[in-house]
Amino acid sequence: MADSSGNPQASQAHAIDSSPRKSSWKYIGPGIVVAATGVGAGDLVATLIAGSSFGYTLLWAAIIGCLVKISLAEAAGRWHLSTGRTLFDGWASLGRWTTWFFVGYVVIWGFVYGAAAMSSSALPLQALFPDVMDLEWWGIACGLVGLVFVWFNKYAVFEKVMTVLVGVMFVVTVYLAIRVTPNLGDAFAGLLPVLPDADDSVLNTLGLIGGVGGTITLAAYGYWVNAKGWTNTGWMKVMRLDNRVAYATTGIFVVSMLFVGAELLHSANIALASGDKGLLQLSDILEEEYGTATAKFFLIGFFATSFTSLIGVWHGVSLMFADFVERYRRGDATRGEDIATGSRERSLPFRLYLLWLTFPPMILLFQGQPFRLIIIYGVLGAAFLPFLAGTLLWLLNSSRTPREWRNGALSNSMLAIAGLLFLVLCVKQIWDQPWSEFF
């Protein structure tokens, strides 16, 4: 049996028992979920601002961002399938420090993110229905709908709803990209790795690369792979196709919004506000340029983008938290088959974390976000991706992983690049915090 010391015997037996499945589009699912969850309103705003500030110059950076995230999600999925163990079980084998980091992260991050996700989902609804109720109550309604949906539905239904919402996101973003009539010559030129001629261009470029599509949702990918019923190496080819589809979809979202920023905003020298309200500003611009119907169509896409992130985190991170509690309770290895049965989605820890994501954050919708907590939230959020990249490098180059499925040169290079990239961004995020006001 695979234990916390990294004994690979059970993992090797697990791999031998598997039978390869043919890679097929009909199996695609977890990739759609991770793409929908990872691309939130903040990602779209960041890409729009990059397009409005630099035109097509950073198109290459957006694409590299997708490739970096492909490597992280593939590594997480490969760990789950090759060992039969969950990612948290792998982290636990590296030492108690990983448990402390994870607990601190999901408690503080979940509290603040819950408010941010509800507010982000509420903004387009209030813009579409301005006279119905205040923003805070729209946010509460979104949180409660997300809670009820995830509470009473298992992964199969969750995946279907996410797929529909991704379809809405896809149609809206591609429609806007076509509507603004992109300059394809400039777009192709943007594929050349050139830095914009501006202050902090290196950090702006690294920020765009690192901001494409997800944080903890990358770690949740392996859990969604198991929830789909993929639990052994026979699903490895399917998982890799699924993962590529995920980040091809993410790439289309991001490139489409960069086109909109470059053509609609950059050419007119219009600066968007940062944060989700920048998308409301874009809605007003679209209404002036193309009419009310286009603006409302965009707001529908804005809502789909925000709400998929909400329910994706409500499901995926709750699943990870339930796995953490189960391993702590049992004191031994937790396995992908446990996730595949659906029992985690009906467990008390899963539902308690759902409640944590929903009800305590509602306080922040009315009282504002506490200053010190936001600083800690920012630091933990910035530290998670270096933590993920570093631990995956460790796990997938050790005896914890069957030799056949350990990292090759390309995987190691991509994970090392990802780790260094996110470490630089983490240091910058920590440096930029107003620590003098914290104490």
Side-chain angles (χ1 to χ4, degrees):
M1 181 175 181
D3 57 26
S4 59
S5 66
N7 184 353
Q9 292 179 355
S11 300
Q12 292 168 346
H14 172 84
I16 292 170
D17 292 340
S18 62
S19 55
R21 271 75 171 180
K22 183 178 180 181
S23 183
S24 173
W25 293 93
K26 70 180 181 180
Y27 295 124
I28 298 301
I32 297 297
V33 172
V34 76
T37 307
V39 179
D43 297 290
L44 297 187
V45 172
T47 311
L48 279 167
I49 291 174
S52 66
S53 300
F54 307 117
Y56 293 103
T57 305
L58 292 181
L59 179 59
W60 63 274
I63 293 173
I64 287 179
C66 292
L67 295 177
V68 167
K69 299 297 176 63
I70 284 175
S71 66
L72 283 167
E74 187 275 341
R78 178 155 44 92
W79 166 264
H80 276 250
L81 296 183
S82 65
T83 66
R85 299 162 63 186
T86 64
L87 185 55
F88 184 80
D89 190 62
W91 286 339
S93 74
L94 301 178
R96 191 176 293 274
W97 66 275
T98 60
T99 299
W100 288 112
F101 177 82
F102 178 78
V103 171
Y105 181 85
V106 297
V107 171
I108 297 174
W109 179 89
F111 180 56
V112 180
Y113 180 84
M118 286 186 273
S119 177
S120 180
S121 298
L123 281 170
L125 290 177
Q126 189 188 43
L128 284 166
F129 309 104
D131 300 323
V132 175
M133 53 185 169
D134 293 337
L135 180 68
E136 293 83 1
W137 294 106
W138 275 118
I140 288 172
C142 290
L144 292 176
V145 170
L147 170 69
V148 171
F149 171 72
V150 175
W151 188 292
F152 290 105
N153 289 292
K154 293 179 66 175
Y155 175 80
V157 176
F158 166 71
E159 182 189 289
K160 287 181 173 64
V161 171
M162 291 288 274
T163 301
V164 171
L165 291 173
V166 166
V168 173
M169 293 167 59
F170 186 90
V171 170
V172 169
T173 55
V174 172
Y175 165 77
L176 290 177
I178 295 171
R179 188 69 190 266
V180 300
T181 317
N183 185 320
L184 295 181
D186 289 347
F188 280 116
L191 296 175
L192 296 174
V194 176
L195 292 175
D197 186 15
D199 293 338
D200 293 329
S201 60
V202 173
L203 290 175
N204 285 329
T205 303
L206 293 178
L208 181 61
I209 293 173
V212 177
T215 52
I216 196 171
T217 54
L218 293 165
Y221 178 64
Y223 286 84
W224 285 322
V225 163
N226 287 157
K228 180 75 169 177
W230 306 348
T231 58
N232 56 51
T233 55
W235 293 100
M236 195 70 75
K237 287 185 178 179
V238 176
M239 182 275 292
R240 284 171 167 162
L241 173 64
D242 179 76
N243 181 44
R244 288 163 190 157
V245 169
Y247 284 94
T249 305
T250 300
I252 291 170
F253 293 152
V254 170
V255 169
S256 295
M257 296 311 287
L258 192 140
F259 281 6
V260 173
E263 292 295 337
L264 189 62
L265 306 177
H266 181 68
S267 58
N269 198 28
I270 298 172
L272 282 186
S274 60
D276 298 344
K277 291 185 179 179
L279 293 182
L280 292 182
Q281 187 181 348
L282 177 62
S283 173
D284 295 336
I285 296 168
L286 288 170
E287 185 170 7
E288 291 176 8
E289 292 287 331
Y290 304 113
T292 302
T294 297
K296 290 188 178 300
F297 189 50
F298 168 72
L299 288 172
I300 292 170
F302 177 6
F303 172 73
T305 300
S306 299
F307 195 65
T308 52
S309 293
L310 186 153
I311 60 175
V313 167
W314 263 228
H315 186 276
V317 184
S318 297
L319 201 56
M320 294 181 69
F321 182 78
D323 184 56
F324 152 71
V325 173
E326 181 62 21
R327 192 188 190 285
Y328 182 80
R329 186 182 67 83
R330 287 169 44 180
D332 61 2
T334 54
R335 308 188 63 80
E337 286 91 344
D338 300 327
I339 307 296
T341 63
S343 60
R344 292 281 193 275
E345 296 165 272
R346 299 186 297 272
S347 68
L348 179 61
F350 181 92
R351 290 177 170 173
L352 286 176
Y353 193 73
L354 267 178
L355 296 173
W356 174 254
L357 284 169
T358 306
F359 288 104
M362 289 179 183
I363 300 170
L364 302 184
L365 295 176
F366 291 95
Q367 296 185 354
Q369 298 180 345
F371 180 72
R372 292 182 180 180
L373 188 62
I374 297 304
I375 292 179
I376 297 172
Y377 165 81
V379 170
L380 286 173
F384 185 81
L385 283 178
F387 167 79
L388 178 62
T391 53
L392 285 172
L393 269 171
W394 190 347
L395 291 170
L396 293 168
N397 283 289
S398 72
S399 61
R400 296 171 177 83
T401 304
R403 185 173 300 277
E404 178 185 359
W405 302 108
R406 292 178 198 168
N407 279 356
L410 179 60
S411 294
N412 277 328
S413 298
M414 292 299 293
L415 288 177
I417 290 170
L420 289 173
L421 165 68
F422 295 125
L423 184 60
V424 170
L425 294 174
C426 176
V427 171
K428 181 180 183 299
Q429 178 80 359
I430 294 172
W431 183 265
D432 288 345
Q433 297 295 335
W435 293 107
S436 60
E437 300 175 31
F438 182 87
F439 298 101

